Amino acid sequence: MKKIRQCENENDEIKGSEDRLGDLPDCVLLHILSFLNTKHVVQTCVLSTRWRHLWKRIPTLILHCSKFTTKKHFTIFVSKILTLRDPSTALHALDLDRRGDIEPHVLKKILNYVSSNKTHLKELGISIHGDGCLVMSCVSSCHALTSLNLSIYPRGSRRNLNYTPTLFPKSLNLPLLTSLDITNFVFCGGESDCVEPFFAFTKLNSLVIRSCNVKDAQILIISSDTLANLAINSSVKKINSAMQNNSTNFPEIKENNPSNFVEIKLSTPNLRSFNFAGHLIQKISGSGLSSVRKVNINDLRQFHALAGHGLVLFSWLLDFANVESLTVTSTTLQILSLVPDLFEVKLPSLCNLKLLEVELIPLYDGSLSQSIEDSMLEKAAAKSCKEVAKLRKAFNAGLVPPAIPDGMVDFLRQNSPSAVVNISTYFPDHFNLKQVEESIKGAKIVKYRSRYAAPGSSSIAPASAPAPSSVSVPASAAPPNLHLCCADKDDKSSYEDKV
């Protein structure tokens, strides 16, 4: 009887809550709908009479081609949305993702609609293969923008790599812009041999640069008193007019030649987060790194690396005086290990390090692998010829260098011995996890957990308790708080999202 009464009470609650969503005022419903893809928003028109025209008044348009079975359906949908939407409702945000060539007449229609709402538009995102000049002309008129995300490739560039990227305007009048994310642009320099494309954005807080190059300049200046988050998601190369005139596309640039990359000068006194993904040959100078608290360095599976790459990375570490969180890949640490006599150097930085995260990535064949073997042989030669012969024999038998170079964790933690160390990987089958454990000096208990597990959870055994931050422990004696995180092998979607 108790179960029956309980079920009756639950049914009454369900009946009483059936129309709770409908009881909300229109402004609340429109706010909720503004977070959904516009295709799904339109589908709410079948719910009831009240919902039939509600979608026409949403202040946000999220138009993603991936939500449609064919590109033709996407084109028809976009055209009808722009026609049927309530013209009295101000458009505050538009996110267009075509993922390929977009028809010129469709692009013009979208940009004209953007221009007609430019006084109210706060957020704009455009990812297309189309006319970049047309897009930038529209963007330059949207002075109320606070967030801008542009990924522009010419039409047909997926089939033909001989194309010229879009020039980024030397100055954009966007006084309220706080977030900028750009992909595949060229910054054009001047007579001073420097280019400073972001100086006009006086309120910029977040900047992301992807696949961008510099033309006719040696130095890329990023100067901002308000910038807090900076991400450079590919090395910034330099090109010149002669290169562009000799070929319809920019010629291939050798990744091992430092002269092919610009120097990035930072004047960002309030920078707190720095992310770099690219070849570790980029020179970064200035005062911007000393204020950073969180750093993420990803070498993008660099196949070719020499000691010079490691020296560049080491120079970055010297500037990270106040970093609290450092995230690197195992190959990044391999490149750092190429620096001659690295462990004999006293590292003056990383004194405030609290968290060190390392992602294990397989070491593929290439000059990097050969450079690591040569470095190990050189260190063995300092001991005895017998050690060299023994190591050569092991390499011939298939010995693979350790995923994390011996002593590297202690080197990074020498000024912060109590820093927690998290190790994760998407390729657990590629590594000898026992060897990884043994390579970390002082590690006794390894904590295995899912990448998505709640903090502190464990599927095997708990990790050793972290040393109190108030106690001074020598680097050689302090066991790192090691957490080995193996991502699920069949979780393909998460890996694709990360890539």
Side-chain angles (χ1 to χ4, degrees):
M1 290 299 294
K2 288 183 179 180
K3 290 183 178 180
I4 293 175
R5 291 194 194 99
Q6 184 178 357
C7 291
E8 290 176 350
N9 292 334
E10 290 177 354
N11 291 334
D12 291 339
E13 290 179 2
I14 293 174
K15 290 179 180 178
S17 62
E18 280 182 353
D19 201 28
R20 285 184 181 179
L21 188 61
D23 291 339
L24 296 174
D26 284 0
C27 61
V28 176
L29 293 178
L30 290 172
H31 179 72
I32 296 173
L33 293 177
S34 66
F35 293 96
L36 302 179
N37 189 285
T38 303
K39 177 183 179 181
H40 299 151
V41 174
V42 173
Q43 290 172 343
T44 62
C45 68
V46 301
L47 297 179
S48 68
T49 304
R50 183 192 176 191
W51 290 81
R52 184 172 301 169
H53 301 289
L54 190 64
W55 64 270
K56 297 180 180 180
R57 294 189 285 125
I58 56 170
T60 300
L61 291 180
I62 302 177
L63 307 171
H64 289 183
C65 183
S66 60
K67 301 298 181 181
F68 294 83
T69 55
T70 67
K71 294 179 180 180
K72 183 179 179 180
H73 290 163
F74 172 74
T75 300
I76 296 173
F77 178 81
V78 169
S79 298
K80 288 192 174 182
I81 282 293
L82 300 183
T83 302
L84 298 176
R85 187 175 178 273
D86 187 352
S88 64
T89 301
L91 181 65
H92 293 162
L94 184 140
D95 182 9
L96 171 66
D97 187 354
R98 179 60 175 80
R99 295 196 177 187
D101 292 348
I102 187 169
E103 294 76 2
H105 72 279
V106 177
L107 178 60
K108 288 181 180 179
K109 187 172 185 177
I110 295 172
L111 295 180
N112 288 337
Y113 195 83
V114 169
S115 297
S116 65
N117 289 269
K118 61 185 178 182
T119 56
H120 302 283
L121 192 66
K122 302 295 183 183
E123 300 177 11
L124 178 62
I126 298 179
S127 178
I128 59 166
H129 288 221
D131 190 342
C133 295
L134 197 62
V135 173
M136 296 311 299
S137 176
C138 174
V139 169
S140 62
S141 66
C142 300
H143 304 308
L145 284 176
T146 60
S147 176
L148 179 61
N149 189 327
L150 296 176
S151 177
I152 311 296
Y153 288 84
R155 278 177 56 85
S157 56
R158 283 190 172 183
R159 298 180 297 274
N160 182 11
L161 297 179
N162 295 324
Y163 66 87
T164 301
T166 303
L167 286 175
F168 191 81
K170 291 187 176 181
S171 63
L172 279 176
N173 184 19
L174 303 177
L176 303 179
L177 194 68
T178 60
S179 176
L180 178 63
D181 188 327
I182 54 176
T183 302
N184 195 45
F185 281 85
V186 169
F187 309 121
C188 192
E191 297 179 356
S192 62
D193 210 23
C194 300
V195 58
E196 190 175 358
F198 314 114
F199 73 94
F201 308 137
T202 57
K203 294 186 178 181
L204 195 61
N205 178 267
S206 176
L207 174 63
V208 180
I209 303 172
R210 293 186 179 92
S211 302
C212 293
N213 297 318
V214 170
K215 178 182 176 184
D216 296 332
Q218 305 288 330
I219 300 174
L220 172 62
I221 299 176
I222 300 177
S223 176
S224 173
D225 292 334
T226 59
L227 189 65
N229 306 291
L230 173 62
I232 303 173
N233 289 346
S234 60
S235 302
V236 183
K237 303 172 185 177
K238 59 184 177 183
I239 56 179
N240 54 53
S241 299
M243 289 180 179
Q244 190 174 2
N245 293 333
N246 290 337
S247 174
T248 54
N249 188 22
F250 305 129
E252 182 180 356
I253 297 177
K254 294 183 178 180
E255 307 295 350
N256 284 329
N257 190 349
S259 63
N260 292 328
F261 299 85
V262 300
E263 178 182 353
I264 300 177
K265 275 192 176 182
L266 300 180
S267 179
T268 51
N270 293 305
L271 192 64
R272 293 295 180 267
S273 174
F274 174 73
N275 290 269
F276 181 87
H279 295 279
L280 300 178
I281 201 65
Q282 194 93 58
K283 289 184 179 180
I284 300 179
S285 60
S287 59
L289 299 181
S290 60
S291 61
V292 174
R293 298 292 188 271
K294 186 175 182 180
V295 175
N296 188 327
I297 302 175
N298 190 329
D299 56 89
L300 291 180
R301 300 185 184 180
Q302 189 161 334
F303 293 94
H304 309 287
L306 303 172
H309 296 77
L311 288 171
V312 169
L313 179 58
F314 182 71
S315 70
W316 294 2
L317 294 179
L318 295 178
D319 292 330
F320 292 142
N322 299 300
V323 167
E324 298 177 356
S325 174
L326 175 62
T327 302
V328 294
T329 64
S330 57
T331 49
T332 298
L333 298 182
Q334 295 279 13
I335 294 172
L336 182 61
S337 70
L338 299 177
V339 177
D341 303 322
L342 177 68
F343 295 155
E344 298 179 10
V345 179
K346 179 65 176 178
L347 193 64
S349 57
L350 302 181
C351 297
N352 299 320
L353 188 65
K354 297 178 181 178
L355 175 64
L356 173 62
E357 295 187 306
V358 182
E359 181 186 346
L360 298 181
I361 293 180
L363 183 64
Y364 296 97
D365 293 335
S367 66
L368 173 57
S369 179
Q370 186 60 50
S371 297
I372 294 171
E373 292 184 9
D374 293 342
S375 178
M376 293 176 65
L377 289 171
E378 185 178 346
K379 293 176 181 178
K383 298 179 180 179
S384 67
C385 295
K386 185 177 180 180
E387 289 291 330
V388 174
K390 182 180 178 181
L391 189 57
R392 286 188 184 278
K393 184 176 180 181
F395 281 141
N396 293 333
L399 175 67
V400 178
I404 299 177
D406 295 336
M408 184 59 69
V409 169
D410 286 338
F411 173 75
L412 295 176
R413 297 171 65 247
Q414 60 183 269
N415 296 323
S416 303
S418 62
V420 175
V421 179
N422 290 339
I423 298 181
S424 62
T425 182
Y426 287 95
F427 311 95
D429 295 337
H430 286 71
F431 298 97
N432 184 338
L433 299 182
K434 183 178 180 181
Q435 183 184 23
V436 173
E437 177 183 358
E438 294 174 351
S439 69
I440 309 297
K441 188 176 181 179
K444 296 180 180 179
I445 300 178
V446 178
K447 180 181 177 184
Y448 295 87
R449 63 179 174 84
S450 170
R451 180 170 177 263
Y452 300 99
S457 64
S458 175
S459 58
I460 295 184
S464 56
S469 57
S470 60
V471 180
S472 177
V473 184
S476 59
N481 304 308
L482 182 65
H483 308 282
L484 187 58
C485 319
C486 297
D488 299 333
K489 290 187 290 185
D490 58 347
D491 192 1
K492 296 181 180 179
S493 60
S494 62
Y495 176 65
E496 291 172 355
D497 290 343
K498 180 176 179 62
V499 173

